[in-house]
Amino acid sequence: MINHNEKVVLITGATRGIGKAITKKFASEGYRLVLVYRSNIVEAQKTESELKQFDSEILMLQADLSCSEDCLSVVNRAIEYFGQIDVLVNNAGITSDGAFALMKPKEYSSVISSNSCAPVLLSMYAMPYLIESANQLRNGAIVMMSSIAGIVGKEGQVPYSTTKGSLIGSTRLLARQYGNQGVRVNAIAPGFIETDMVEELDPKMYNHVLEAGSLPRMGKPNEVADAVWFLANKSSSYVNGQVIRIDGGFLR
Amino acid sequence: MKVLIFDHLSSYLGKALADAWIQQGDSVIDASKVGGMACALKDFPEPYGFVFTESNFDEASALKNCQKDKELIAAFSAKVNEHISFFLENCRLATQALMPLRKGRVLCLCLDDVSAHILGLPESPILNEARNSAMKSLSKEYSRIGINYNTVVCQPSKEMVDRKILSSKRNALKVFSLRYSAPKTKDYIGFLLSNLNNSTAVNGGLICLGDGVMEMGG
């Protein structure tokens, strides 16, 4: 195993579902971790205790990423603690589902700030450190967590899919802007993944989606984490501005 | 007379399409001139359709300008927020207006950000992708009641670019076709009019217009 133990990854939405699987993947590879969670301190403590087996150095931060001051504070505190950021995984996301024509703007305004704006803010605030990481040949990579809904759309999820689409554009914009400084920016678009969020849904909501996949099952969080890991390390050194679908061969 | 409501008419292609729509004997409303979409709908509650014109927010330049300034970074993000919120609100109002009519067209125009990048024109990949995803989701949700949503991505037309720039960038433009020739505005408008007037064959589509091989983002 390559020893990555001088490197630091900042992961948002790190204590649940896909984020937790990403966290474990980086911990198992020897990264030092800056883990950001929104509000669930019980999950945060649980994650911290599950990570003890990896012996990783962890900075656990609570933040409301829909607030730009919190985004800046997360990066500043990560730098104060570890002095560097080598990889940023913009995983956190929220949704507000329902018939769009009946929704009120205040019902989805936080979806826009959390899903579209926070990743841009964190990426830009962390950019000088990511450039430094690239200059010192450590790393310098950003992975955005988009969604299959951002690529093909999803009824009942107009604000969510819009913001996940915007992340694909942010990926391309940042990749174009910072590729020549050694920072790579890519995105993952997961399909239906076995997480708490999906388990809470009525199966009627997703059975038709499973029928439209060439692999007739839901994905597992670690299958997404493996793809994030690929995009974050040097195995993907010639991949930039791309979106990888982890969706079981979802047809539409 | 078919009334088409535009979010604003300050963009090149949007303006050209509005002129052509008027020329065919129909009518357009520039929502930005009458106090916004909600006000436009008060005066014209039964429109034929809506056109969301190309974004005028040059994301690439804005991002370049804010690289090391934390306040400018926050301002950039706020601008993204503002544009997406404005767009979604217009989509919501458009959908609400068309639902009782059980028909209608919503067309979203975008300027291809790759050719715009090559040609030094404003590029808006964030808003383009957000708009495309929104149109697809809305189409999945509301095509069952006869509302038709499409995104059209256009390379900059010949009239939008200085001839010298087109010539100096001809090597880079080979990513689209070996001998790239920028399409004419009138050709785009012909297609857009036909789509708005006749076609129900495309719904939830991402239609890419330009010379050579292109798709959203390249």
Side-chain angles (χ1 to χ4, degrees), chain B residues 67-131:
Chain B
Q67 284 193 27
K68 282 174 188 160
D69 186 322
K70 292 183 171 61
E71 279 177 23
L72 287 179
I73 291 171
F76 173 80
S77 159
K79 196 91 177 160
V80 169
N81 192 327
E82 183 191 313
H83 276 270
I84 294 176
S85 302
F86 179 73
F87 172 69
L88 278 178
E89 175 62 354
N90 280 344
C91 285
R92 196 177 66 89
L93 292 169
T95 303
Q96 280 177 346
L98 296 175
M99 277 172 78
L101 309 176
R102 301 191 72 81
K103 63 178 178 181
R105 304 292 168 84
V106 181
L107 193 65
C108 187
L109 297 178
C110 299
L111 199 62
D112 171 49
D113 59 84
V114 173
S115 39
H117 176 78
I118 293 171
L119 295 166
L121 292 173
E123 45 183 309
S124 315
I126 300 178
L127 296 175
N128 281 3
E129 293 286 356
R131 287 161 152 234

Side-chain angles (χ1 to χ4, degrees), chain A residues 144-203:
Chain A
M144 305 281 198
M145 194 58 65
S146 179
S147 163
I148 198 69
I151 298 177
V152 301
K154 181 86 177 81
E155 67 285 355
Q157 291 198 313
V158 173
Y160 178 77
S161 63
T162 301
T163 56
K164 290 299 183 179
S166 80
L167 272 188
I168 295 171
S170 306
T171 299
R172 208 156 65 228
L173 182 69
L174 291 165
R176 251 179 233 158
Q177 199 103 292
Y178 294 100
N180 62 3
Q181 294 179 71
V183 177
R184 296 179 304 107
V185 188
N186 291 290
I188 300 282
F192 266 74
I193 307 297
E194 282 173 15
T195 59
D196 302 350
M197 206 190 280
V198 171
E199 274 166 22
E200 283 162 15
L201 293 176
D202 180 341

Side-chain angles (χ1 to χ4, degrees), chain A residues 1-16:
Chain A
M1 191 177 78
I2 302 167
N3 183 7
H4 294 285
N5 63 9
E6 287 176 3
K7 295 182 185 172
V8 175
V9 60
L10 193 164
I11 304 169
T12 64
T15 60
R16 295 181 66 193

Side-chain angles (χ1 to χ4, degrees), chain B residues 3 10 36 42 45 53 55 59 79 108 126 148 155 172 181 187 208:
Chain B
V3 176
S10 52
K42 264 185 202 152
T53 57
S55 164
E59 296 164 10
K79 196 91 177 160
C108 187
I126 300 178
N148 189 293
Q155 290 171 347
S181 168
D187 292 335
C208 295

Side-chain angles (χ1 to χ4, degrees), chain A residues 58 70 111 133 236 243:
Chain A
I58 301 168
D70 274 23
V111 178
S133 176
S236 62
V243 184

